[in-house]
């Protein structure tokens, strides 16, 4: 029976502070997980989880089921075995004690649902009367084409008095301002599959909301890469008047996710510009979703997509297959220089 406490960490900086502040011997492990279910979601209906996780490249199959509570903390049944074929590993899990019904349900086939990619730093903690393992996780949850960054701490009871391990976790909560995370990685990743994304042309009445999103994104990202003069340049370039004119020309596209305005981009011919994601949606695949839509339109017209990429955006475009066709620079006030890339992506045929 697994007894584990899971805590949401506010940001990467707090996670790093926690790891540095704990005088422990941390070991780092690259984790990549795929969660499976039957086509009719029979495992989910029973609140069972079946995952294949590569831990430092080593494949491990695991099944988890709901359990009772210990000192007010939810416990779970957990069985795992080595192997990279979920269907072939089911019988081994059942022999280890997983529900026999698992084999019957899996006979109908298994399909991947969602996943997670993260780096885990784990350390054993010897307490007065118990042993626990801390795991500091940093990565992304994936599902339905979306990605969501996460930072969390797990405290798993290993031996001795469970109350002592629980008290250790609660002490970390108070010290670092953590919050209990009631949902598993699977639950949060699977929730991404149900997101509703809608791309629409911006209406004139929405120009103000577009401007606000763009300005928030500039202020959140650019000061880390550019001098203040360049940040001011971008803020002025995307003025309310400029955005209103592009909206009136029918050139501005909006992405709404679950009803919230998440990102925007503009297109004039084959030139894509003003791709910005609201900071609240950063790192969740919104920029890629919009570019998929715009690139499909441009490719269908038989052209090549062109962008001017700022320093923070150049790597994003490179990953999408864009190549730099020119390095550009723009002199600004007080000797500052704004550098950017002209990039292009062409499709064969």
């Amino acid at each position: 029976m697994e007894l584990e406490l899971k805590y949401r960490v506010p940001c990467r900086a707090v996670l790093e502070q926690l790891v540095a502040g704990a005088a422990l011997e941390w070991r780092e492990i690259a984790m990549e997980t795929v969660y499976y279910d039957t086509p009719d979601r029979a495992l989910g209906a029973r609140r069972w989880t079946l995952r294949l996780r590569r831990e430092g490249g080593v494949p491990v199959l695991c099944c988890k089921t709901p359990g009772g509570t210990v000192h007010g903390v939810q416990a779970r049944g957990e069985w795992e075995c080595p192997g990279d074929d979920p269907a072939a590993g089911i019988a081994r899990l059942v022999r280890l004690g997983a529900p026999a019904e698992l084999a019957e349900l899996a006979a109908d086939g298994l399909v991947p649902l969602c996943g997670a990619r993260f780096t885990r730093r784990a350390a054993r903690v010897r307490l007065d009367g118990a042993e626990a393992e801390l795991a500091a996780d940093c990565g992304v949850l994936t599902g339905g084409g979306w990605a969501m960054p996460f930072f969390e701490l797990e405290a798993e009871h290993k031996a001795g008095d469970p109350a002592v391990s629980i008290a250790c976790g609660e002490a970390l909560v108070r010290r670092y301002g953590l919050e209990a995370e009631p949902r598993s990685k699977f639950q949060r990743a699977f929730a991404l599959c149900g997101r509703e994304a809608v791309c629409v042309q911006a209406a004139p009445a929405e120009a103000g909301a577009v401007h606000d999103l763009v300005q928030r994104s500039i202020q959140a990202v650019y000061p880390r890469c550019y001098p203040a003069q360049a940040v001011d340049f971008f803020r002025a370039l995307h003025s309310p008047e400029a955005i209103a004119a592009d909206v009136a020309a029918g050139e501005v596209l909006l992405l709404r996710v679950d009803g919230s305005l998440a990102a925007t981009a503009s297109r004039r011919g084959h030139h894509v510009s003003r791709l910005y994601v609201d900071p609240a949606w950063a790192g969740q695949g919104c920029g890629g979703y919009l570019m998929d839509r715009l690139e499909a339109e441009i490719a269908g017209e038989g052209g090549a997509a062109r962008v001017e990429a700022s320093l923070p955006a150049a790597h994003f475009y490179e990953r999408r297959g864009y190549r730099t066709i020119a390095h550009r620079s723009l002199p600004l006030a007080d000797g500052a220089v704004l550098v950017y890339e002209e990039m292009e992506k062409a499709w064969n045929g």
Side-chain angles (χ1 to χ4, degrees), residues 8 11 35 61 94 109-110 113-114 181 248 260 272 285 291 299 331 334:
R8 188 183 309 119
C11 62
Y35 296 98
L61 185 66
V94 172
L110 296 169
L113 294 180
C114 52
E181 176 54 78
S260 298
V272 178
M291 287 303 298
D334 301 323

Side-chain angles (χ1 to χ4, degrees), residues 146 195-200 202-203 206 209-210 254-263 281 286 289-290:
W146 299 99
R195 277 187 170 174
E196 180 182 354
V198 180
C199 288
V200 296
E206 296 173 304
V210 175
L254 305 181
L255 173 64
R256 296 190 181 278
V257 183
D258 294 339
S260 298
L261 178 58
W281 289 92
C286 296
Y289 192 100
L290 267 179

Side-chain angles (χ1 to χ4, degrees), residues 173-258:
V173 169
R174 292 190 295 271
R175 181 173 180 180
Y176 293 101
L178 311 183
E179 297 181 6
E181 176 54 78
R183 297 186 299 167
S184 67
K185 289 184 180 67
F186 165 72
Q187 290 172 323
R188 286 172 283 155
F190 185 64
L192 297 177
C193 299
R195 277 187 170 174
E196 180 182 354
V198 180
C199 288
V200 296
Q201 182 176 310
E206 296 173 304
V210 175
H211 174 262
D212 291 346
L213 182 154
V214 170
Q215 296 296 321
R216 285 196 302 272
S217 182
I218 290 173
Q219 199 57 43
V221 177
Y222 285 9
R224 301 198 298 264
C225 309
Y226 283 119
Q229 296 92 328
V231 177
D232 291 341
F233 170 85
F234 281 112
R235 291 175 64 89
L237 178 67
H238 302 297
S239 66
E241 295 78 15
I243 290 176
D246 290 346
V247 169
E251 298 173 352
V252 179
L253 191 67
L254 305 181
L255 173 64
R256 296 190 181 278
V257 183
D258 294 339

